């Protein structure tokens, strides 16, 4: 079976949906951020502050290439994975790409108490979320189908995905 790849902005629900979805379908799960942290021996935040975003993106490219070789996995990606065409190409070779969307205010309410995402540790996170979402919209549009998670529970998103992938 093909991999199921979850893309989308920080706070769109990729991690919680990915884990539940894998459980529901009896699939294994891998998270590209975790692969990066494991191989670098550092948290994402530390990689950004020590070496900068570009270095992180290089590590991310390697993690994506590694994850793309798997089969029958749910692949949870970091929010910026889609920015490199090569990443999407790799993931698509053996995977269905599902974009999880969420509205900016919903994203903010989900992430406001979290501190592990370097890109959102700024003075005006709501403004930053809107700007990044707008810039990334055409990249996220590169998907096989999308689910708006704004008003759905994790379980509802999982069921939505299961319904869509089972359609002939
Ligand atoms: C990023 C999203 C993060 C992580 C890194 C950069 C982004 O992953 O990869 O902080 O550029 O959107 P999540 O989407 O899992 O938070």
């Amino acid at each position: 079976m093909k991999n199921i790849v979850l893309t989308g902005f920080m706070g769109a629900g990729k991690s919680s949906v990915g884990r539940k979805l894998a459980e529901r379908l009896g699939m294994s799960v891998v998270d590209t951020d975790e692969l990066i942290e494991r191989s670098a021996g550092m948290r994402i935040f530390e990689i950004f502050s020590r070496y900068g975003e570009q270095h992180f993106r290089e590590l991310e490219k390697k993690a994506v290439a590694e994850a793309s070789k798997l089969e029958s996995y749910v692949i949870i990606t970091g929010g910026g994975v889609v920015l490199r065409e090569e990443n999407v190409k790799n993931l698509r070779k053996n995977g269905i790409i599902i974009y999880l969307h969420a509205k900016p205010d919903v994203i903010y309410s989900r992430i406001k108490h979290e501190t592990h995402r370097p890109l959102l540790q700024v003075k005006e996170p709501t403004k930053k979320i809107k700007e990044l979402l707008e810039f990334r919209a055409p990249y996220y549009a590169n998907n096989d189908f999308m689910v708006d998670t704004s008003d759905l529970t994790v379980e509802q998103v999982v069921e939505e995905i299961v319904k869509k992938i089972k359609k002939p």
Side-chain angles (χ1 to χ4, degrees):
M1 184 175 168
K2 278 192 163 193
N3 294 319
I4 300 177
V5 181
L6 299 182
T7 64
F9 203 75
M10 299 169 265
K14 302 181 299 284
S15 298
S16 21
V17 168
R19 278 161 220 292
K20 269 260 149 58
L21 180 67
E23 231 174 70
R24 168 81 162 77
L25 297 174
M27 293 168 81
S28 302
V29 62
V30 70
D31 179 323
T32 58
D33 280 345
E34 282 178 15
L35 291 179
I36 297 166
E37 290 187 332
R38 213 176 303 150
S39 71
M42 251 180 272
R43 306 312 302 259
I44 303 284
F45 205 98
E46 205 180 342
I47 302 173
F48 267 75
S49 67
R50 278 212 210 178
Y51 306 108
E53 179 172 351
Q54 281 324 303
H55 180 71
F56 170 78
R57 297 295 173 205
E58 290 304 314
L59 300 181
E60 187 171 58
K61 187 177 88 178
K62 286 190 194 125
V64 167
E66 200 186 308
S68 301
K69 289 186 201 138
L70 298 165
E71 264 174 44
S72 300
Y73 265 72
V74 171
I75 303 178
I76 299 166
T77 65
V81 156
V82 295
L83 297 172
R84 289 204 180 185
E85 203 184 330
E86 184 186 347
N87 289 342
V88 181
K89 230 189 222 169
N90 270 336
L91 290 163
R92 187 161 262 136
K93 270 185 211 151
N94 186 34
I96 309 171
I97 299 188
I98 303 173
Y99 166 51
L100 298 188
H101 178 76
K103 295 187 198 114
D105 54 322
V106 173
I107 290 173
Y108 180 64
S109 72
R110 289 179 185 162
I111 60 93
K112 67 182 171 199
H113 298 304
E114 296 177 349
T115 54
H116 66 279
R117 295 184 173 97
L119 293 178
L120 300 180
Q121 297 309 301
V122 292
K123 269 207 186 117
E124 296 186 82
T126 45
K127 192 169 157 226
K128 183 79 179 182
I129 290 168
K130 279 191 190 135
E131 280 169 9
L132 279 176
L133 257 183
E134 209 168 292
F135 176 79
R136 291 179 177 183
Y139 297 92
Y140 289 136
N142 194 351
N143 64 64
D144 293 305
F145 67 85
M146 70 99 95
V147 180
D148 189 339
T149 70
S150 303
D151 304 311
L152 302 180
T153 63
V154 171
E155 288 74 16
Q156 286 171 325
V157 178
V158 167
E159 288 318 308
E160 192 71 16
I161 294 174
V162 171
K163 236 194 284 165
K164 289 207 178 167
I165 56 176
K166 287 200 169 153
K167 259 192 206 155

